C-alpha cells in the first residue's frame, strides 16, 4: 500500500505574514490526516513555515533547488540552505519552471541528483502540453521527461522520489484531466518507472496528479487506483479547500 501524499504548491503567493495566517489556520484542520501533508512555500516563507509546523504533521517543502553545493549562481538557493531553513521536500521541474525559466530535462536531472544527495525528498513534475495531448504525444512526452529526470539515479534513490503528473493544460485553467485520463497516464508513468527500476520500485512509488485539483473533484481522482495524491496549486491557498482535499486522501 502506498501512503497518499497531498502537497500544496503555493507558487509565488503568500508573504511571510500571509504564510503565518494560512499555516496557523491549516494546522488544526489537517491534524487527523491519513496522508502525508506538505506545503511547498516560497523560499522566504520556509523558515517561518518550518517553525510554525514544528512537531505537527505538516512538512515544509521548497519549489526549486540549485544543482550545485554553493558558489557563483546568482538567484539560486542551495540544498544546505533549504535544509537549514527547515525544508524536507522540494518540487523539481514544475512546468512553470520549464516554461518561463528555461528548465530542461537535463537541469531537472541535475537538481534531482542534488536533492537526493542531500536527503531532501523530491517531487518531480512531468506532463504534456495541450498540443501534445491532442497530437497523441502524451505518453512519449511523459516517458522522455521521466527517463531524462532519472538519469544516473539508482533504484534505491528512486524509491524515495515522488512524481507529480501535471498535464500543463490543466494547470490553473479549471480544466481537470478526467479521473480516467489521469489514472491512465499515471499508470503509464508507473510502467516507465518499472522499465527503469523494476516492479518493486514502480509499485512503491507515489505518483500524484496535479492540475486544477480541488475540493470538488478530489474524491473522484483519489478513487483511481494509480493516483497516490495531489500537487495542489490554487486550492492550496485556502485552508478550508486544502483541508477538504487532505481529508479525501486516505
Ligand atoms: P492548480 O491547482 O492551480 O491548477 O496548479 C496545479 C499545479 O501546478 C501544482 O503544482
Amino acid at each position: 500500500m502506498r501512503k497518499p501524499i497531498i502537497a500544496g504548491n503555493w507558487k509565488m503567493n503568500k508573504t511571510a505574514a500571509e504564510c503565518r495566517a494560512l499555516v496557523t489556520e491549516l494546522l488544526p484542520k489537517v491534524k487527523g490526516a491519513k496522508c502525508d501533508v506538505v506545503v511547498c512555500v516560497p523560499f522566504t516563507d520556509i523558515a517561518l513555515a518550518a517553525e510554525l509546523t514544528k512537531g505537527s504533521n505538516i512538512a515544509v517543502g521548497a519549489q526549486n533547488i540549485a544543482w550545485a553545493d554553493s558558489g557563483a549562481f546568482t538567484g539560486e538557493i542551495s540544498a544546505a540552505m533549504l535544509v537549514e531553513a527547515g525544508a524536507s521536500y522540494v518540487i523539481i521541474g514544475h512546468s512553470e519552471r520549464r516554461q518561463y525559466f528555461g528548465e530542461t530535462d537535463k537541469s531537472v536531472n541535475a537538481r534531482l541528483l542534488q536533492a537526493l544527495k542531500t536527503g531532501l525528498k523530491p517531487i518531480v513534475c512531468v506532463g504534456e502540453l495541450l498540443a501534445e495531448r491532442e497530437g497523441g504525444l502524451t505518453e512519449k512526452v511523459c516517458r522522455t521527461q521521466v527517463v531524462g529526470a532519472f538519469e544516473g539515479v539508482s533504484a534505491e534513490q528512486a524509491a524515495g522520489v515522488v512524481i507529480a503528473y501535471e498535464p500543463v493544460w490543466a494547470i490553473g485553467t479549471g480544466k481537470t484531466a478526467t479521473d480516467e485520463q489521469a489514472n491512465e497516464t499515471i499508470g503509464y508513468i508507473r510502467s516507465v518507472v518499472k522499465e527503469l527500476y523494476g516492479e518493486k520500485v514502480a509499485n512503491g512509488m507515489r505518483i500524484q496528479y496535479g492540475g486544477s485539483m480541488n475540493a470538488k473533484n478530489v474524491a473522484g481522482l483519489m478513487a483511481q487506483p494509480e493516483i497516490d495524491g495531489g500537487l495542489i496549486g490554487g486550492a492550496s491557498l485556502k485552508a478550508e479547500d486544502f483541508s477538504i482535499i487532505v481529508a479525501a486522501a486516505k
Side-chain angles (χ1 to χ4, degrees), residues 9 11 91 94 96 166 170-173 210-213 231-235:
N9 174 10
K11 307 192 179 183
I91 296 172
H94 191 278
E96 286 147 20
E166 300 205 306
I171 296 177
T173 56
S212 297
M213 196 160 169
L231 186 55
I232 324 296

Side-chain angles (χ1 to χ4, degrees), residues 9-22:
N9 174 10
W10 290 7
K11 307 192 179 183
M12 196 175 73
N13 294 291
K14 305 293 175 186
T15 65
E18 292 164 343
C19 167
R20 179 184 294 279
L22 177 53

Side-chain angles (χ1 to χ4, degrees), residues 65-240:
I65 179 176
W67 56 68
D69 291 339
S70 64
F73 297 98
T74 302
E76 288 287 294
I77 304 289
S78 77
M81 293 167 186
L82 298 179
V83 170
E84 201 171 306
S88 50
Y89 284 84
V90 60
I91 296 172
I92 297 173
H94 191 278
S95 65
E96 286 147 20
R97 300 283 325 161
R98 296 178 191 256
Q99 195 177 347
Y100 305 128
F101 302 102
E103 204 78 64
T104 62
D105 291 339
K106 207 168 154 52
S107 65
V108 169
N109 175 242
R111 294 184 200 278
L112 175 58
L113 290 169
Q114 183 70 358
L116 290 167
K117 189 177 103 180
T118 53
L120 282 158
K121 296 174 198 147
I123 299 175
V124 175
C125 302
V126 301
E128 80 286 1
L129 304 168
L130 181 59
E132 292 167 339
R133 175 157 286 264
E134 288 174 348
L137 295 172
T138 298
E139 294 192 346
K140 184 163 182 271
V141 168
C142 290
R143 164 179 293 273
T144 302
Q145 291 180 349
V146 170
V147 171
F150 282 83
E151 201 175 317
V153 173
S154 71
E156 196 186 353
Q157 289 175 316
V161 177
V162 174
I163 294 179
Y165 167 58
E166 300 205 306
V168 180
W169 48 272
I171 296 177
T173 56
K175 261 193 227 164
T176 332
T178 64
D179 302 343
E180 293 74 22
Q181 276 175 331
N183 190 65
E184 187 186 355
T185 307
I186 288 178
Y188 176 74
I189 290 168
R190 199 178 301 288
S191 78
V192 175
V193 174
K194 186 175 159 189
E195 275 175 45
L196 294 174
Y197 296 111
E199 189 143 19
K200 188 156 175 267
V201 172
N203 287 343
M205 183 176 279
R206 296 186 294 180
I207 309 182
Q208 302 171 306
Y209 169 77
S212 297
M213 196 160 169
N214 59 40
K216 289 202 176 78
N217 59 29
V218 62
L221 288 160
M222 285 308 302
Q224 297 292 323
E226 294 288 351
I227 303 179
D228 302 320
L231 186 55
I232 324 296
S236 73
L237 300 174
K238 292 194 187 115
E240 183 64 29

